[in-house]
Amino acid sequence: MRRARLSLLLVLALSPLVWADRLVVPHVPQRYVVRAGDTLWGIADHFFQDPWRWPGIWNRNLQIRDPDLIYPGDVIVLRYIRGTPYLVDEGPVQALTSPRQNTVVLRPAVRSQALASAIPTLDPNVIGPFLQRPLALSRRAFHRLGYVAGAVHRHTFLSPLSRFYARHLGAHPDKTYEIYRRGPALRTKDGEFLAYETKYVGQARLVRPGRLPELEVVSSIREVEAGDRLVPWRREAPIPYYYPRAPRKRIHARVVAATHDNLNLGTYAAVAIDAGKDAGMRRGYVLRIYSRPRPFYDPVAHETLRGRKQPLGLLMIFRTFARVSYGIIMQARREIHVGDSVATPQD
């Protein structure tokens, strides 16, 4: 059990006057009661026009990575100190009715809740499916994986309960594997190779080890084929608490792929960008998405001009590889496409 009490949680990088101007607008709430199903991102959006600026409900001790947690029933209050806005968690509040005055009095209450009931940064149903899939692998990493060598019973395509032979699993193969298929090569705008994007196919378990290991397909979302790669299965980590923040340095990148086949992308779609750990990308970084400059015709001057890139939304990074990162589109003003650019948010 843990009682999460928050003091001054929002330390703003911008000047107090700028932030005061941004927040002193009509309909900005002064207090909010946390409800089941809320997320930290959603509460930030409830108070601020740009929720990525809010570092979250986090312990201010930078040596402690775990966030201070907030729970349904907590009261979040917006306060100003010398013109700078802060969010304060006043904890759970109990309503008591005074019979004499027929009024309701709010008093602090003692919390007794499991840590698991604290609200997350993002909706787990949104981020969960992407935490371990897809993979972005270098040529060397991809070719070093074990693979499906062929079916045991002369099948071209394999489905659940089908068995197959595998190769290159090593002297001590794992008991469970995830099956992936090589997707398109991810490349920069200039055509430079970044990584192979792999598509999840299914899961298999080892049924007979030896010189030619035999595995059985446990589940699949498409038919398994010879040549598909095998990645040792690891128990999924719990849904992480992300710390939404802008990168410390200027980053310019490009959307190079989407995790599904839709050409027009919107909120909660996952995309890949051509910048990864080598470029300083970290989980929780928030980038602004921009459209490609569109040409337009000036009928008076009789010439075609090139417009400016326009902001389209916000992207939060949730998984990083050496040269590729994956992010969730958290806000989308308009449709987003592969080829649009992303950059460190600026005013």
Side-chain angles (χ1 to χ4, degrees):
M1 302 292 177
R2 175 182 176 186
R3 180 181 177 84
R5 288 297 289 180
L6 304 180
S7 55
L8 302 181
L9 298 176
L10 183 59
V11 181
L12 303 172
L14 301 182
S15 67
L17 292 179
V18 171
W19 266 94
D21 289 343
R22 289 183 64 85
L23 288 177
V24 181
V25 293
H27 310 303
V28 172
Q30 300 301 305
R31 56 191 289 121
Y32 179 79
V33 179
V34 180
R35 298 173 295 180
D38 280 342
T39 62
L40 299 186
W41 181 279
I43 291 176
D45 195 29
H46 190 75
F47 282 98
F48 304 136
Q49 294 176 356
D50 284 327
W52 66 268
R53 297 181 184 278
W54 180 48
I57 305 298
W58 237 257
N59 195 313
R60 292 188 64 198
N61 185 342
L62 299 181
Q63 296 179 352
I64 301 177
R65 294 186 178 182
D66 292 334
D68 276 342
L69 306 179
I70 65 174
Y71 298 80
D74 282 5
V75 177
I76 308 298
V77 177
L78 175 65
R79 294 179 180 169
Y80 290 87
I81 299 179
R82 298 178 182 176
T84 301
Y86 294 92
L87 290 179
V88 178
D89 182 1
E90 293 190 338
V93 174
Q94 182 180 13
L96 301 176
T97 302
S98 173
R100 293 184 179 180
Q101 300 179 358
N102 196 27
T103 58
V104 175
V105 180
L106 298 180
R107 294 183 181 179
V110 177
R111 176 189 293 120
S112 179
Q113 289 178 286
L115 291 178
S117 63
I119 67 171
T121 307
L122 303 176
D123 183 349
N125 294 322
V126 171
I127 193 68
F130 303 113
L131 289 181
Q132 292 188 319
R133 309 163 188 164
L135 304 176
L137 302 176
S138 67
R139 287 191 178 97
R140 181 179 180 183
F142 179 82
H143 290 297
R144 291 180 64 181
L145 292 174
Y147 62 91
V148 177
V152 171
H153 300 293
R154 295 187 177 180
H155 295 298
T156 304
F157 300 103
L158 303 168
S159 55
L161 301 182
S162 298
R163 293 191 177 188
F164 62 87
Y165 297 113
R167 302 193 69 185
H168 293 179
L169 297 186
H172 304 286
D174 287 73
K175 293 182 179 181
T176 308
Y177 288 85
E178 289 193 321
I179 308 168
Y180 287 88
R181 182 169 302 151
R182 194 183 83 178
L186 302 179
R187 299 182 182 276
T188 65
K189 185 178 181 180
D190 298 328
E192 180 184 355
F193 176 85
L194 295 168
Y196 285 129
E197 184 175 39
T198 59
K199 305 294 185 180
Y200 177 77
V201 175
Q203 192 174 75
R205 66 182 181 90
L206 181 69
V207 293
R208 184 177 297 174
R211 184 182 61 84
L212 192 60
E214 189 175 322
L215 287 82
E216 182 179 84
V217 178
V218 175
S219 62
S220 64
I221 61 173
R222 51 179 63 91
E223 292 179 319
V224 180
E225 300 177 6
D228 287 344
R229 303 292 160 153
L230 300 170
V231 178
W233 177 80
R234 296 290 180 262
R235 185 179 299 277
E236 290 189 11
I239 301 298
Y241 278 86
Y242 292 91
Y243 179 15
R245 63 206 186 277
R248 294 182 178 180
K249 65 178 183 179
R250 298 282 293 171
I251 288 179
H252 293 277
R254 176 174 165 267
V255 177
V256 293
T259 58
H260 51 78
D261 297 329
N262 288 353
L263 297 178
N264 302 321
L265 306 170
T267 303
Y268 299 145
V271 299
I273 65 171
D274 58 356
K277 294 178 183 178
D278 293 351
M281 294 299 297
R282 298 292 183 269
R283 290 194 323 175
Y285 275 0
V286 177
L287 304 170
R288 197 174 296 281
I289 309 169
Y290 295 92
S291 65
R292 288 167 287 184
R294 307 293 182 186
F296 67 95
Y297 179 72
D298 181 346
V300 176
H302 300 289
E303 61 179 333
T304 299
L305 303 175
R306 187 177 179 83
R308 300 185 182 91
K309 62 182 182 180
Q310 298 296 324
L312 298 177
L314 294 174
L315 177 76
M316 194 183 77
I317 301 300
F318 66 87
R319 197 172 189 200
T320 58
F321 296 89
R323 304 185 66 190
V324 173
S325 296
Y326 287 91
I328 291 284
I329 298 173
M330 299 303 301
Q331 293 179 351
R333 298 180 183 177
R334 299 179 184 86
E335 293 177 344
I336 294 165
H337 304 86
V338 172
D340 289 338
S341 62
V342 296
T344 304
Q346 298 293 321
D347 292 325

